[in-house]
Amino acid sequence: MRSRTNGKTEAAPSSLEGSPAGSPEGPPCDVLVVGGGVIGLVTAWRAAQRGLAVTVVDPEPGGGAAQVAAGMLAAVTELHYGEQTLLGLNLASARRYPDFAAELTEASGQDIGYRACGTLAVALDADDRAHLRDLHALQVRSGLTSEWLNGRECRRLEPMLAPGVRGGLRVDGDHQVDPRRLAAALVVACERAGVRFTRAWAQALSVVRDRATGVVLADGTALAAGQTVLAGGSLSGRLAGVPEEVTAPVRPVKGQVLRLTVPRRYAPFLSRTVRAVVRGSHVYLVPRVSGELVVGATSEELGWDTTVTAGGVYELLRDAHELVPGITELPLTETRAGLRPGSPDNAPLLGPTALAGLHLATGHHRNGILLTPVTGDVMAHALTTGELPDEAAAFTPRRFTSAHLNSSKHLTELSA
Ligand SMILES: Cc1cc2nc3c(=O)[nH]c(=O)nc-3n(C[C@H](O)[C@H](O)[C@H](O)COP(=O)(O)OP(=O)(O)OC[C@H]3O[C@@H](n4cnc5c(N)ncnc54)[C@H](O)[C@@H]3O)c2cc1C
């Protein structure tokens, strides 16, 4: 594996690449999941529930982008032109959330902060209003439920909104969950379901006679498995030993987020998620029952850099303040940056690859928390049957195989 920070990479020793080097540790498991973020964890949990022997490899399971994410379950408000296929999967996952939250709470004994609070997307000027009107039209054409409100109606719902709000979309189906609680609960649910954790970095995929057979850890230990799932988030494309034609085309998309605290005397400050596009930048405020108010997020293509910058914090506070002026009274309790695992079409890569024994569960980009429930079900299905269920057929990693090869060839030709 290569270094985690700032995109400075250290190539794995060539002796490990693609070889079953190292001494095997213990009996092979059925499924080895590389990456214990929410996607790897939900895959492991659901696979273990189906009777498979599962191991998760991650130095810090439950970490990853969920430590930063806001936790909006925004299938409707995050709809973009050209992403109608993804919309189907997003809606399928949103529908699962109430039962998923109840089952995970029962399995882990932990509340995951699922809150059916709805969302209000507002416009501050004529351009934002036109943008929101377009989104509303697209939502209606896509059969989604959202209601156009004028400025006064928006402020009646959320009195802390700025007087200048011109109108907005009320989306009662876009809810929220607390991603940190979600990740922690998944770790416990996995442990209780018999999933084993190896707290280490996977250095290289082992491939024997055109079949993935597990991984080799940084200390040379080999872990053998019938099937290996690569769920390494933004690092998914960087595991050594993965043949080029099945390498995940995933890149890091940096997001900076602020956490403020609403003192009890101000509650309820906001009763639902409030979001807007301000001068072309997206800003949202997600209020939790605990008093935490998450303000996010920047979207930056800067490799593996996770520095919190003055400019990022300034822009988020400036835009959030235009939306809800009262935020300047609140204590600023945390600033943090994380990496979304972006894919070329902003949709996840799920299920078997062209290399026997290797699956991908990655590329969830800005919707990984929303897509956690459906990903668990889809991956468990793929691991037990070898095939993707119909609802996820469009998300096969194979959709990129030839395009990926062609673009690599093109780049090679350009640099020659
Ligand atoms: C600022 C921000 C805001 C967001 N807001 C939302 C939101 O409101 N709603 C929403 O649905 N989504 C949101 N997301 C997206 C969501 O957080 C991600 O899509 C999701 O968390 C990705 O989960 P993952 O498990 O695929 O990857 P990650 O969380 O990145 O986890 C990957 C794990 O793999 C491990 N790993 C990688 N390589 C190896 C290796 N070789 N060996 C061992 N371990 C390895 C890492 O240590 C890490 O723990 C947001 C993301 C960011 C950054």
Side-chain angles (χ1 to χ4, degrees), residues 51 123 257 320-321 369:
V257 157
H321 172 252
I369 305 300

Side-chain angles (χ1 to χ4, degrees), residues 1 35 37-39 57-58 65 71-72 201-202 233 365-370:
M1 194 63 214
V38 287
I39 297 303
V57 180
D58 192 319
M72 292 179 297
W201 285 102
H365 198 197
R366 57 178 191 268
N367 287 316
I369 305 300
L370 167 62

Side-chain angles (χ1 to χ4, degrees), residues 87-106:
L87 170 67
L89 196 70
N90 285 343
L91 288 172
S93 207
R95 277 194 295 273
R96 281 167 162 86
Y97 242 102
D99 289 346
F100 174 82
E103 186 186 347
L104 182 54
T105 300
E106 170 80 23

Side-chain angles (χ1 to χ4, degrees), residues 182-397:
L182 170 68
L186 281 168
V187 170
V188 174
C190 279
E191 283 167 347
R192 291 185 178 176
V195 173
R196 292 183 58 187
F197 285 93
T198 298
R199 287 176 164 77
W201 285 102
Q203 173 118 343
L205 184 73
S206 303
V207 181
V208 179
R209 285 188 289 279
D210 292 334
R211 182 175 182 92
T213 58
V215 297
V216 178
L217 305 181
D219 67 0
T221 305
L223 300 181
Q227 305 187 76
T228 302
V229 179
L230 192 40
S234 63
L235 290 165
S236 296
R238 316 217 55 176
L239 186 68
V242 178
E244 195 185 341
E245 63 273 21
V246 293
T247 296
V250 171
R251 68 184 197 286
V253 181
K254 176 179 172 182
Q256 301 188 48
V257 157
L258 318 176
R259 283 177 163 80
L260 289 75
T261 303
V262 179
R264 268 181 205 284
R265 64 182 184 281
Y266 292 157
F269 190 76
L270 295 174
S271 59
R272 73 203 69 221
T273 296
V274 169
R275 54 188 300 162
V277 179
V278 182
R279 288 179 294 272
S281 300
H282 291 264
V283 65
Y284 51 74
L285 295 91
V286 182
R288 304 223 197 281
V289 174
S290 63
E292 183 178 85
L293 181 68
V294 185
V295 178
T298 65
S299 184
E300 305 162 72
E301 305 265 356
L302 291 171
W304 278 269
D305 169 54
T306 51
T307 314
V308 175
T309 62
V313 174
Y314 165 72
E315 282 168 26
L316 288 172
L317 283 176
R318 180 195 63 196
D319 295 349
H321 172 252
E322 278 196 39
L323 210 56
V324 180
I327 62 151
T328 48
E329 303 296 319
L330 306 179
L332 173 61
T333 33
E334 193 181 326
T335 58
R336 198 143 170 190
L339 300 170
R340 307 172 183 92
S343 76
D345 58 5
N346 297 330
L349 295 91
L350 302 173
T353 66
L355 178 66
L358 180 67
H359 293 251
L360 296 185
T362 188
H364 292 70
H365 198 197
R366 57 178 191 268
N367 287 316
I369 305 300
L370 167 62
L371 287 169
T372 295
V374 76
T375 298
D377 293 345
V378 164
M379 291 307 299
H381 184 95
L383 289 164
T384 48
T385 67
E387 291 182 357
L388 282 172
D390 288 347
E391 67 181 338
F395 304 98
T396 170

